[in-house]
């Protein structure tokens, strides 16, 4: 049986990292709860409890314990050689589909686009776009490395697919992204919303709330709207899983997109 990091009990007072409201303890699940349970693949119970808290104001849901984990602990217990068992699509299938989505949306404007895939892992998505004539770069902040944000430059299109739900520090994520944005920039990202999936006084059965996958920050639409406003951005949502942030839309994006403004 694996040896987990020393358990840090969730404080009785855990402020929401988005709106600062005191969160309430919502439910506890086993550490081995994974997204693959939606496809009837179950890991054996680990015996390690993971508590999720919910903000009663903006409906953001988080697992506070992971704020104390080091990169090494995340790599040892979550993003290890067994990760492919509970997310087999992350290696090539999902980044390839996401690259195709960006091409479908913006390929006609690729000569005007300077693109960054934030949280791009091994670079499959960016490499696929580069092969099609895009100016595309990949950057992954995890694990922390010597590559500095300031050395990357600025971008007018940033993608962050399946990133938001993995971050233990939402403020750091937004600070990083805004530091990389040109004055006219579109950020397109994916994460499923808690709306209708996590309700007060109910058990946490939603398949997406899975600590073994590293899904430790779960957003409602309201929490994303508020997060965007805090950083001087506007928020739009195309569907329950695909969203965007922007300061000012580049011409090529305003012609191709009509995101829902807030």
């Amino acid at each position: 049986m694996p040896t987990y990091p020393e358990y840090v009990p969730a404080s009785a007072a855990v402020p929401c990292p988005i709106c600062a409201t005191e969160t309430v303890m919502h439910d506890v699940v086993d550490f081995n709860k994974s997204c693959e349970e939606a496809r009837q693949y179950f890991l054996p119970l680990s015996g390690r409890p993971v508590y999720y808290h919910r903000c009663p104001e903006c409906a953001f849901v988080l697992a506070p314990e992971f704020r104390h984990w080091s990169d090494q602990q995340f790599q040892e217990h979550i993003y290890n050689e067994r990760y492919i068992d509970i997310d087999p699509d992350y290696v090539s299938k999902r980044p390839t589909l996401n690259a195709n989505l960006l091409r479908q949306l913006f390929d006609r404007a690729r000569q005007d686009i300077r693109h960054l895939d934030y949280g791009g892992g091994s670079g499959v998505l960016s490499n696929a776009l580069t092969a099609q004539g895009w100016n595309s770069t990949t950057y992954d902040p995890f694990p922390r490395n010597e590559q500095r944000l300031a050395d990357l430059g600025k971008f007018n299109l940033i993608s962050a697919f399946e990133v938001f739900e993995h971050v233990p520090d939402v403020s750091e994520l937004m600070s990083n992204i805004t530091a990389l944005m040109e004055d006219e920039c579109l950020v397109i990202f994916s994460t499923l919303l808690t709306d209708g999936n996590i309700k007060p006084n109910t058990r946490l059965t939603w398949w997406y709330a899975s600590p073994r996958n590293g899904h430790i920050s779960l957003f409602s639409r309201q929490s994303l709207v508020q997060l965007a406003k805090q950083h001087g951005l506007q928020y739009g949502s195309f569907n329950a899983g695909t969203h965007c942030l922007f300061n000012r839309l580049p011409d090529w994006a305003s012609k191709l997109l009509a995101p829902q403004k807030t």
Side-chain angles (χ1 to χ4, degrees), residues 25 36 94 121 126 129 139 157 181 198 205 212 220 257-258:
M25 193 176 295
E36 282 300 289
R94 189 160 59 243
S126 184
L129 292 180
Y139 170 75
L157 177 62
M181 297 175 69
I198 300 179
T205 58
R212 182 61 186 85
S220 66
L257 295 176

Side-chain angles (χ1 to χ4, degrees), residues 12-261:
V14 177
C16 173
I18 296 176
C19 71
T21 301
E22 184 174 329
T23 62
V24 295
M25 193 176 295
H26 180 80
D27 201 1
V28 58
V29 300
D30 186 80
F31 176 80
N32 272 353
K33 183 177 183 290
S34 85
C35 293
E36 282 300 289
E37 292 184 7
R39 292 193 261 197
Q40 299 303 304
Y41 175 77
F42 295 87
L43 295 172
L45 293 177
S46 70
R48 170 74 174 211
V50 174
Y51 288 87
Y52 281 81
H53 286 223
R54 183 181 183 275
C55 175
E57 180 66 27
C58 73
F60 178 71
V61 174
L62 73 159
E65 175 190 351
F66 294 96
R67 298 177 302 176
H68 307 283
W69 279 35
S70 66
D71 282 7
Q72 181 179 353
Q73 289 169 334
F74 275 106
Q75 286 182 292
E76 181 179 354
H77 298 286
I78 294 179
Y79 307 114
N80 53 32
E81 69 281 356
R82 298 298 304 275
Y83 190 78
I84 193 171
D85 294 342
I86 44 84
D87 190 4
D89 296 338
Y90 89 95
V91 177
S92 62
K93 181 178 180 179
R94 189 160 59 243
T96 299
L97 290 174
N98 289 332
N100 290 340
L101 172 63
L102 293 179
R103 288 184 58 208
Q104 178 182 354
L105 291 173
F106 307 119
D107 198 51
R108 291 183 180 179
R110 65 180 181 275
Q111 299 303 322
D112 301 317
I113 292 174
R114 177 167 160 76
H115 168 252
L116 173 71
D117 188 32
Y118 186 93
S122 61
V124 173
L125 185 154
S126 184
N127 290 340
L129 292 180
T130 299
Q132 295 294 324
W134 282 54
N135 179 1
S136 179
T137 301
T138 190
Y139 170 75
D140 202 302
F142 181 86
R144 299 180 191 274
N145 52 64
E146 295 181 357
Q147 190 175 17
R148 300 191 310 158
L149 287 177
D151 295 334
L152 293 172
K154 303 281 188 176
F155 303 86
N156 60 3
L157 177 62
I158 298 174
S159 56
F161 293 109
E162 296 295 315
V163 171
F164 276 57
E165 65 273 14
H166 290 268
V167 297
D169 189 336
V170 175
S171 296
E172 181 181 37
L173 168 69
M174 291 301 297
S175 295
N176 287 353
I177 287 178
T178 54
L180 293 163
M181 297 175 69
E182 290 185 355
D183 292 338
E184 294 183 351
C185 180
L186 172 70
V187 180
I188 185 167
F189 67 100
S190 66
T191 194
L192 295 183
L193 301 180
T194 61
D195 302 69
N197 293 305
I198 300 179
K199 301 176 183 179
N201 304 314
T202 61
R203 301 311 302 260
L204 189 58
T205 58
W206 189 32
W207 66 270
Y208 201 64
S210 296
R212 182 61 186 85
N213 287 79
H215 288 193
I216 56 179
S217 292
L218 306 172
F219 296 84
S220 66
R221 185 183 185 278
Q222 181 182 349
S223 66
L224 287 174
V225 169
Q226 188 159 345
L227 190 64
K229 288 181 178 178
Q230 289 172 357
H231 292 270
L233 303 175
Q234 296 188 67
Y235 165 81
S237 184
F238 303 102
N239 52 52
T242 309
H243 321 275
C244 69
L245 303 168
F246 57 95
N247 39 24
R248 293 197 303 271
L249 282 175
D251 287 342
W252 48 263
S254 61
K255 294 174 183 176
L256 295 169
L257 295 176
Q260 179 184 354
K261 295 182 179 180

